Amino acid sequence: MIDVAFLGTAVRPAGTAVVIDVLRASSTITLALASGYERVLVAGSTDAAKALRAPGRTLAGEVGCARAPGFDLGNSPEETLEPRTAELVLATTNGAPAIVAAAADADEVLVASLLNVGAVCAQLAGREDVLLVCAGTDGRVSMEDVYLAGRISAELEGPRSDAARIAESLAAFYPDAIDALEASGGAIGLRREGLESDIAFCAQESIVEAVGRLTEMVDGAALITAAPVTASQTAASELNS
Amino acid sequence: MIDVAFLGTAVRPAGTAVVIDVLRASSTITLALASGYERVLVAGSTDAAKALRAPGRTLAGEVGCARAPGFDLGNSPEETLEPRTAELVLATTNGAPAIVAAAADADEVLVASLLNVGAVCAQLAGREDVLLVCAGTDGRVSMEDVYLAGRISAELEGPRSDAARIAESLAAFYPDAIDALEASGGAIGLRREGLESDIAFCAQESIVEAVGRLTEMVDGAALITAAPVTASQTAASELNS
């Protein structure tokens, strides 16, 4: 069954859970791994991230969309383009709890964004028990996350739940990703903080191949590394080259 | 704010909560009140409904879509067209808990179906804090409920949440209500029990004016009566006559 959880708190057991926080945690995790960070430690709060500060780690995180005080980076994906260390510690308020909840209920947890949507769909090819987990924002459903869930669901084969079809109808409603992101509640806080360029950045589709996958929990944080490239990814990549 | 809760378990505080269980509880409640039942007692289980059996009460309810053993009626709206008593006791697995949850968090609770969608929108005109509560099915999101939430949301003025826009996109995806209901997971059980005629019946729009409203909780059951007709309903009715 292809299913969608509209909120990170609505996770159910599944073979593969795909956590989605388009603006911006899952986009930042994806781009960090694609840019050369070897590991991303996703913490549930800025305090939890600070406790993980150590040599070889760069701290990224936000408070109300703006860079958290004392942190090396904010939560803009572009800030990860040039890795400073092997590890990135990322504090997020919505993405991290969703990943932790998914880890408790799913055999495998992947992280999806528009930036790697093609690679995510390649990873999911053939999987029959997929739960697309929309992180949401502070307990409210986020349109941009459900939009991406619908985009992914529409590419997968097999039976799907009503929730998956609802997400697919939203994806069909917005032919261009940027329109869904611009219309979302998640965009409001970014505009307020002068970070509207992040919206356009996160709306780019399949610009990288890296797909974050949960390896283990480390001191309460989710350790994400790049999943091995699948045969179907390799085939698609050769087809495109 | 116009908002949508995709599941009855996801209710939040609101001025007016509108409970939606298109297939079939909210359709049956609506038609029972329109047909002349003065009160509908909505119970959370068949056992709870049996405990409410008394002279002057007709028992209706389902187990796996079929009429519950020993009950006077099943949960098909059409069975309520000719009232047998002043009160109908209705046992539902998804609608009743949603009504009870909404009652705990909202100042006012209405019951909506496609059968009375026009009257519901008239009742809601001018209200600024509306939560459309989709009952769902056994903890899973139901497409037919989100479809109706989207139909109602699209008729209301004022700011709306991402969840409301997602529901509206689903409503826009299905120009005809019957197509949304036929495609829904909720239709599967009805077809299995030979009750597919209920799907077409529940897809009829604005055939009655009655709108059920929660009056009080009685012995653990939700007592629903017809809300007074609003001025805008009267105006619309005169316009149409």
Side-chain angles (χ1 to χ4, degrees):
Chain A
M1 175 72 83
I2 312 302
D3 194 10
V4 172
F6 288 114
L7 281 174
T9 50
V11 170
R12 62 161 186 81
T16 301
V18 182
V19 176
I20 298 170
D21 186 1
V22 173
L23 294 173
R24 299 168 284 167
S26 60
S27 300
T28 300
I29 293 166
T30 298
L31 198 65
L33 293 171
S35 300
Y37 282 98
E38 292 169 22
R39 291 172 292 279
V40 179
L41 274 162
V42 183
S45 69
T46 52
D47 282 345
K50 278 183 201 166
L52 292 167
R53 190 188 276 285
R57 289 181 175 165
T58 300
L59 253 66
E62 64 177 292
V63 174
C65 293
R67 180 191 299 193
F71 276 46
D72 307 310
L73 308 172
N75 187 20
S76 293
E78 284 183 276
E79 293 183 87
T80 68
L81 275 170
E82 294 183 12
R84 301 177 174 203
T85 54
E87 294 194 355
L88 183 74
V89 177
L90 178 66
T92 79
T93 41
N94 304 297
I99 291 171
V100 172
D105 269 346
D107 301 331
E108 178 187 44
V109 179
L110 302 178
V111 177
S113 67
L114 281 158
L115 305 179
N116 67 345
V117 59
V120 167
C121 291
Q123 287 275 347
L124 293 174
R127 282 181 176 72
E128 291 175 355
D129 183 17
V130 175
L131 179 65
L132 302 159
V133 180
C134 303
T137 305
D138 303 329
R140 307 293 289 270
V141 176
S142 285
M143 183 150 65
E144 69 276 17
D145 296 339
V146 179
Y147 169 82
L148 178 55
R151 286 286 306 274
I152 295 171
S153 177
E155 294 297 320
L156 303 180
E157 294 185 3
R160 59 214 57 228
S161 68
D162 280 17
R165 293 189 206 201
I166 292 166
E168 288 182 22
S169 78
L170 179 70
F173 193 77
Y174 289 103
D176 295 315
I178 185 67
D179 295 330
L181 270 57
E182 291 281 5
S184 75
I188 296 170
L190 293 173
R191 285 196 204 95
R192 189 184 57 225
E193 293 295 329
L195 294 166
E196 51 268 69
S197 62
D198 280 358
I199 303 168
F201 192 89
C202 292
Q204 300 175 95
E205 296 183 21
S206 301
I207 62 168
V208 301
E209 290 291 315
V211 177
R213 185 166 70 170
L214 177 67
T215 303
E216 59 178 332
M217 299 299 297
V218 177
D219 297 334
L223 175 60
I224 309 290
T225 58
V229 173
T230 64
S232 55
Q233 267 181 277
T234 309
S237 170
E238 283 170 358
L239 210 63
N240 291 335
S241 67
Chain B
M1 175 72 83
I2 313 301
D3 194 12
V4 172
F6 288 114
L7 280 174
T9 49
V11 170
R12 61 161 186 82
T16 301
V18 182
V19 177
I20 298 170
D21 187 2
V22 173
L23 294 175
R24 301 167 286 167
S26 61
S27 300
T28 300
I29 293 166
T30 298
L31 198 67
L33 293 171
S35 300
Y37 282 98
E38 293 169 23
R39 292 172 291 280
V40 179
L41 275 162
V42 183
S45 68
T46 52
D47 282 343
K50 279 183 200 164
L52 293 167
R53 190 189 277 284
R57 287 181 176 167
T58 299
L59 254 65
E62 64 176 292
V63 174
C65 293
R67 181 192 300 192
F71 276 46
D72 307 310
L73 308 173
N75 187 21
S76 293
E78 284 184 276
E79 293 182 88
T80 69
L81 276 170
E82 295 182 12
R84 302 176 173 203
T85 53
E87 294 194 354
L88 182 75
V89 177
L90 178 66
T92 79
T93 40
N94 305 296
I99 290 171
V100 172
D105 268 345
D107 301 331
E108 178 187 42
V109 179
L110 302 178
V111 177
S113 67
L114 281 158
L115 306 179
N116 67 346
V117 59
V120 167
C121 291
Q123 286 276 348
L124 294 174
R127 282 181 175 72
E128 290 175 355
D129 183 18
V130 175
L131 179 65
L132 302 159
V133 180
C134 302
T137 305
D138 303 330
R140 308 293 290 269
V141 175
S142 285
M143 184 150 65
E144 69 276 16
D145 296 339
V146 179
Y147 169 82
L148 178 55
R151 287 286 306 274
I152 295 171
S153 177
E155 294 297 320
L156 303 180
E157 294 185 3
R160 59 213 58 229
S161 68
D162 279 17
R165 293 190 206 201
I166 292 165
E168 289 183 23
S169 78
L170 180 70
F173 194 77
Y174 290 103
D176 296 316
I178 185 65
D179 295 329
L181 269 58
E182 290 282 5
S184 74
I188 296 170
L190 293 172
R191 284 197 204 97
R192 189 184 56 224
E193 293 295 327
L195 294 166
E196 52 268 67
S197 62
D198 280 0
I199 304 169
F201 191 89
C202 292
Q204 300 175 96
E205 297 182 23
S206 300
I207 61 169
V208 302
E209 289 292 314
V211 177
R213 186 167 67 170
L214 176 68
T215 303
E216 58 178 331
M217 298 300 297
V218 177
D219 297 333
L223 176 60
I224 310 290
T225 58
V229 173
T230 63
S232 56
Q233 266 181 277
T234 311
S237 170
E238 283 169 0
L239 209 65
N240 291 336
S241 66

